[in-house]
Amino acid sequence: GAVVSQHPSWVICKSGTSVKIECRSLDFQATTMFWYRQFPKQSLMLMATSNEGSKATYEQGVEKDKFLINHASLTLSTLTVTSAHPEDSSFYICSLPGTGTDTQYFGPGTRLTVL
Amino acid sequence: GNSVTQMEGPVTLSEEAFLTINCTYTATGYPSLFWYVQYPGEGLQLLLKATKADDKGSNKGFEATYRKETTSFHLEKGSVQVSDSAVYFCALRGGATNKLIFGTGTLLAVQP
C-alpha cells in the first residue's frame, strides 16, 4: 500500500500563532487527500477533502478560514491552523485514497498542543 | 445519520487470551463495515472489512461478521499476542456521502 508521512509528528505553539502540518505521499500520486481530527477518546472526524490544483471541500461546521488547506502537488497537502487557540489542540491525521473503492492510506498523525 | 459505537478501552489481556471488541452501528441502507488498526507511531491500517450482511472479514487471525439483525461487527481473535497491542477502530462507509465514519477506538494492551 501507499506510504504516507506527516510532519511534524507533534508541535506545541502559543495561542495566536499559526501552525502548518504537511502530509506527503511517498510513493503514490494523489489528486485527493483527506484531513481528519481526533479529540481524546472521540472518533476521527473528517474535516475536509483536499483537491490537487483546486479548492478544498470542507465538512459542515469546519471553518475554512481557520483551517487552510493547500494541495499544490500530487504528493503534498498542507493544513495550516491559523491563529491557533487551546481548543484547536487535537490530533490531526491525513489520508489518501487507494485504487480500490474501500481503500484509504493514513498518515501517522500530528499532535498539536496550543498553550 | 450514520454512526459507530465501540466499546471503550483500554482492554488489557494476557498473551493467548481470547479477544472481543464490540462494535455496533447505525446506518441507512447497506453500509460497508471495517476494522482499522493503529500500531504505536504508525498510521491507521485496514485490518479487515465486510461489504454485505453475513459476510465475514478475516486477517491475521482476527475475524468479524457483518450482522445486520443486530447491527454489529464485533472483532474477535482466539489467541492474542503482545504484537497485537494497538488501537482498533471500527468504521463504516455508506449512504449518499460515502464517507468513512469511525468509532472512538479501543486500546488493546497484551501483556506477556
Side-chain angles (χ1 to χ4, degrees):
Chain A
V3 178
V4 183
S5 70
Q6 285 185 238
H7 177 80
S9 55
W10 58 270
V11 57
I12 301 173
C13 69
K14 293 182 178 179
S15 186
T17 60
S18 294
V19 175
K20 180 185 285 188
I21 301 169
E22 294 184 347
C23 175
R24 291 184 184 273
S25 172
L26 301 182
D27 57 357
F28 193 84
Q29 294 187 330
T31 56
T32 300
M33 290 186 181
F34 304 104
W35 285 97
Y36 295 82
R37 69 184 297 182
Q38 183 183 25
F39 293 104
K41 298 187 179 180
Q42 295 189 27
S43 303
L44 276 74
M45 302 297 295
L46 180 64
M47 299 175 65
T49 301
S50 164
N51 303 300
E52 190 265 336
S54 65
K55 292 182 179 180
T57 305
Y58 289 82
E59 295 300 304
Q60 191 173 10
V62 178
E63 300 175 59
K64 60 182 67 175
D65 293 332
K66 181 164 188 63
F67 298 101
L68 300 180
I69 291 175
N70 183 276
H71 193 153
S73 77
L74 291 173
T75 58
L76 174 64
S77 175
T78 60
L79 168 67
T80 301
V81 183
T82 62
S83 186
H85 291 282
E87 58 266 30
D88 299 323
S89 298
S90 191
F91 197 56
Y92 293 89
I93 302 171
C94 70
S95 77
L96 55 91
T99 52
T101 56
D102 290 335
T103 307
Q104 278 194 34
Y105 300 105
F106 288 83
T110 297
R111 173 77 61 193
L112 169 64
T113 301
V114 184
L115 301 177
Chain B
N2 295 348
S3 66
V4 175
T5 302
Q6 63 181 104
M7 61 188 290
E8 281 194 34
V11 173
T12 303
L13 296 173
S14 297
E15 211 165 17
E16 299 184 1
F18 185 86
L19 168 71
T20 300
I21 300 178
N22 290 337
C23 172
T24 57
Y25 67 91
T26 301
T28 55
Y30 301 92
S32 295
L33 302 174
F34 307 86
W35 277 100
Y36 281 84
V37 58
Q38 185 176 30
Y39 298 104
E42 300 183 18
L44 276 74
Q45 304 171 25
L46 179 64
L47 179 60
L48 54 84
K49 68 178 183 181
T51 57
K52 61 183 187 294
D54 300 325
D55 266 4
K56 178 186 283 187
S58 62
N59 185 24
K60 300 181 180 180
F62 291 89
E63 293 183 340
T65 301
Y66 189 144
R67 301 284 189 202
K68 189 161 181 64
E69 64 276 14
T70 54
T71 62
S72 65
F73 193 55
H74 304 322
L75 182 68
E76 296 181 337
K77 186 174 185 180
S79 176
V80 293
Q81 305 300 313
V82 172
S83 57
D84 293 326
S85 298
V87 180
Y88 293 82
F89 292 89
C90 186
L92 70 82
R93 183 200 301 279
T97 62
N98 214 29
K99 289 184 291 189
L100 268 177
I101 306 296
F102 287 91
T104 55
T106 302
L107 174 63
L108 170 65
V110 180
Q111 299 175 338

